[in-house]
């Protein structure tokens, strides 16, 4: 659409952008999950590693942006699970 055309015209030299998505929403925040998201440029999902796990993160997904903090929390949960299952 119009946004994709503008993005393609703007991106005429190499830049360090992985993906561009566009979502038009007239509310204040929190559009419903079925609200359309347009993929404009790049990858449709991001790969994020957390410990030994690899996640495919899409635009509508929640993923902790502080990977270091998320890893600490993940390791603490693993430790507690091991304690109650051993």
């Amino acid at each position: 659409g119009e946004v994709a055309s503008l993005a393609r015209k703007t991106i005429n030299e190499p830049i360090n952008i992985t993906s561009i998505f566009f979502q038009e929403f007239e509310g204040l925040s929190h559009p419903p999950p079925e609200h359309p998201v347009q993929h404009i440029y790049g990858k449709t999902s991001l790969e994020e590693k957390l410990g030994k796990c690899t996640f495919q993160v899409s635009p509508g997904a929640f993923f902790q942006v502080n990977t270091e903090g998320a890893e600490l929390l993940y390791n603490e949960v693993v430790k507690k699970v091991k304690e109650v299952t051993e």
Side-chain angles (χ1 to χ4, degrees):
E2 185 178 324
V3 174
S5 176
L6 178 61
R8 286 187 192 95
K9 287 177 187 175
T10 304
I11 303 172
N12 56 9
E13 59 183 67
I15 55 177
N16 192 20
I17 294 177
T18 304
S19 300
I20 298 174
F21 287 86
F22 175 76
Q23 183 177 39
E24 189 171 359
F25 181 64
E26 293 180 7
L28 295 176
S29 64
H30 304 295
E34 65 276 358
H35 203 79
V37 177
Q38 298 174 44
H39 175 249
I40 306 297
Y41 171 83
K43 296 180 179 182
T44 56
S45 66
L46 302 177
E47 191 172 277
E48 189 69 36
K49 293 182 189 238
L50 185 62
K52 295 178 182 179
C53 300
T54 302
F55 298 90
Q56 295 293 321
V57 183
S58 63
F62 170 81
F63 194 84
Q64 177 57 259
V65 295
N66 178 347
T67 306
E68 187 177 319
E71 244 179 69
L72 289 171
L73 180 60
Y74 172 83
N75 290 334
E76 192 63 28
V77 170
V78 168
K79 186 172 108 182
K80 295 294 182 187
V81 169
K82 284 181 180 178
E83 287 175 9
V84 298
T85 58
E86 292 177 343

